[in-house]
């Protein structure tokens, strides 16, 4: 007996890539999905992405968990309600991308995010349990990496043989002491796979198999219309409001190269050195993002676009 589950994560408002992944999977006969969080932000089609998630839930068996981006957005709602003293977001290179996304969400969307767990134990009779998470089973911001021991350490901790996660945007698998970690990569903004929607299909084998019950991952890299997604950054106003952070997103979509943490940290360090004052996110001046981007080799794609118009 064989079971199939479609696993999709890190959509980041890229409805075009999301729809490509779902359509491919349903054409393969898949009727069950696990969604691993970070559904929105970074590209423009937030409302379309949320509507597609709701339609998927109505039509198929869907398990969804909450990513760190959903937590950020819920945190901003608490600020606006006077329940938190965290900073209000503003339209700049530090928080403009998040504010743009927040203003496209409804209270129903945010309530949906709040209802989701950060991890979930998938159980199905005859098959091994799977721990499903965005980052780690206890922290949706934690990175489980292949090049160090973080993934292996979690495999040692859990009382299951499988973890399926995302967050790193790096697709792949790790096997340790008879246990297995599968990272689906990013459907919406894949690292090292520009123009491709990354996701995976879990193939389940029950106790009737000669080697006993198990799961195998089929990793997918599906081409989609990335040019539309990049054009929409400009045409739908995200580039204007998110500035250098969104230029960096365009760079990832075009090249698969991600220096997002370095961009933010470098801008903060440059501002602190020049002004002599500590910098609190998101109050980072644009000139320092410009300098940081130049150091990191991120082209300003906005300039030739303006010249071409």
């Amino acid at each position: 007996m064989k079971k199939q589950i479609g696993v999709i994560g890190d959509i980041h408002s890229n409805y075009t890539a999301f729809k490509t992944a779902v359509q491919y999977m349903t054409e393969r006969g898949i009727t069950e999905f696990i969604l691993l969080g970070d559904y929105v932000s970074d590209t423009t089609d937030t409302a379309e992405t949320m509507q597609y998630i709701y339609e998927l839930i109505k039509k198929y068996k869907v398990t969804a968990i909450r990513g760190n981006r959903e937590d950020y957005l819920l945190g901003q709602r608490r600020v606006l309600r006077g329940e938190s003293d965290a900073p209000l977001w503003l339209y700049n290179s530090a928080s403009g991308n998040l504010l743009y996304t927040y203003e496209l969400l409804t209270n129903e969307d945010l309530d949906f995010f709040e209802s989701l767990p950060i991890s979930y134990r998938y159980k199905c009779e005859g098959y091994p349990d799977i721990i499903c998470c965005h980052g780690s089973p206890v922290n949706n911001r934690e990175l489980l990496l292949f090049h160090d021991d973080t993934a292996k350490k979690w495999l040692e901790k859990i009382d299951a043989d499988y973890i399926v996660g995302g967050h790193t945007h790096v697709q792949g698998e790790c096997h340790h002491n008879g246990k297995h970690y599968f990272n689906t990569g990013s459907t919406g903004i894949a690292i090292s796979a520009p123009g491709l929607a990354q996701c995976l299909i879990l193939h389940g084998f029950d106790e009737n198999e000669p080697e006993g019950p198990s799961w195998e991952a089929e990793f997918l890299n599906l081409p989609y219309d990335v040019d539309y997604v990049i054009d929409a950054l400009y045409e739908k106003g995200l580039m204007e409001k998110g500035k250098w952070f969104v230029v960096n997103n365009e760079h990832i979509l075009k090249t698969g190269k991600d220096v997002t943490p370095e961009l933010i940290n470098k801008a903060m360090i440059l501002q602190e050195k020049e002004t002599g004052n500590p910098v609190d996110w998101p109050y980072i001046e644009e000139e320092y993002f410009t300098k940081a981007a130049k150091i990191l080799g991120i082209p300003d794609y906005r300039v030739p676009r303006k010249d071409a118009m």
Side-chain angles (χ1 to χ4, degrees):
M1 183 177 178
K2 190 174 180 181
K3 187 176 181 66
Q4 292 189 123
I5 306 172
V7 185
I8 296 172
D10 291 282
I11 299 164
H12 290 278
S13 294
N14 191 337
Y15 165 69
T16 304
F18 182 26
K19 184 171 62 173
T20 297
V22 170
Q23 289 179 345
Y24 175 86
M25 290 179 176
T26 54
E27 288 171 3
R28 292 271 301 267
I30 291 174
T31 59
E32 184 172 358
F33 293 88
I34 296 172
L35 305 180
L36 294 178
D38 274 17
Y39 305 114
V40 295
S41 76
D42 294 353
T43 62
T44 61
D45 291 350
T46 295
E48 295 87 344
T49 297
M50 294 308 303
Q51 185 58 40
Y52 202 59
I53 288 172
Y54 300 143
E55 291 171 2
L56 201 68
I57 290 171
K58 288 178 182 177
K59 192 170 183 180
Y60 301 106
K61 181 179 179 181
V62 177
T63 300
I65 60 176
R66 191 172 76 244
N68 58 294
R69 292 305 175 104
E70 286 74 59
D71 275 344
Y72 298 163
L73 294 156
L74 289 168
Q76 190 65 184
R77 180 164 74 167
R78 288 192 289 273
V79 172
L80 292 167
R81 288 177 169 179
E83 300 167 356
S84 169
D85 59 0
L88 279 169
W89 294 338
L90 61 154
Y91 279 127
N92 68 358
S93 290
S95 58
N97 164 66
L98 290 168
L99 181 55
Y100 176 96
T101 301
Y102 185 87
E103 292 180 345
L104 291 172
L105 294 168
T106 66
N107 276 323
E108 290 74 20
D109 295 331
L110 292 163
D111 290 343
F112 171 71
F113 294 158
E114 202 159 37
S115 74
L116 302 177
I118 66 166
S119 64
Y120 173 82
R121 190 182 191 100
Y122 179 88
K123 300 175 72 71
C124 181
E125 187 175 354
Y127 297 90
D129 290 1
I130 307 169
I131 304 298
C132 307
C133 54
H134 179 70
S136 80
V138 298
N139 182 350
N140 58 17
R141 296 185 67 178
E142 185 175 357
L143 298 168
L144 270 61
L145 303 171
F146 299 120
H147 65 267
D148 63 17
D149 290 333
T150 49
K152 291 179 180 178
K153 286 178 180 177
W154 267 108
L155 290 173
E156 291 172 355
K157 289 181 186 180
I158 61 166
D159 61 345
D161 289 340
Y162 294 88
I163 300 176
V164 176
H167 186 43
T168 67
H169 293 217
V170 178
Q171 191 180 68
E173 58 190 313
C174 170
H175 307 280
H176 179 63
N177 291 343
K179 295 185 176 183
H180 316 274
Y181 169 61
F182 303 132
N183 191 306
T184 190
S186 173
T187 300
I189 306 185
I191 294 176
S192 302
L196 299 176
Q198 294 186 321
C199 48
L200 64 83
I201 298 173
L202 286 174
H203 297 280
F205 303 90
D206 66 13
E207 66 271 14
N208 295 316
E209 298 295 327
E211 297 182 359
S214 65
W215 293 98
E216 293 181 2
E218 177 188 351
F219 294 99
L220 303 175
N221 287 268
L222 307 172
Y224 68 93
D225 188 358
V226 70
D227 291 335
Y228 159 78
V229 177
I230 291 170
D231 288 344
L233 299 177
Y234 296 86
E235 294 168 4
K236 296 187 178 183
L238 178 55
M239 184 64 73
E240 179 184 355
K241 294 181 176 180
K243 305 182 188 301
W244 272 108
F245 190 95
V246 182
V247 173
N248 177 61
N249 291 344
E250 180 176 357
H251 190 60
I252 303 170
L253 288 166
K254 285 182 171 179
T255 68
K257 298 176 182 178
D258 179 25
V259 291
T260 304
E262 294 87 344
L263 174 66
I264 298 168
N265 292 335
K266 178 66 73 174
M268 292 181 72
I269 290 168
L270 290 171
Q271 183 170 331
E272 287 179 357
K273 283 185 176 179
E274 186 161 321
T275 64
N277 298 314
V279 179
D280 293 324
W281 184 94
Y283 307 110
I284 309 169
E285 300 298 329
E286 292 303 316
E287 63 181 288
Y288 301 105
F289 270 106
T290 301
K291 292 176 181 178
K294 186 174 182 180
I295 292 169
L296 294 170
I298 304 171
D300 191 346
Y301 298 102
R302 298 168 295 180
V303 175
R305 274 185 172 263
K306 290 176 182 177
D307 292 344
M309 291 176 63

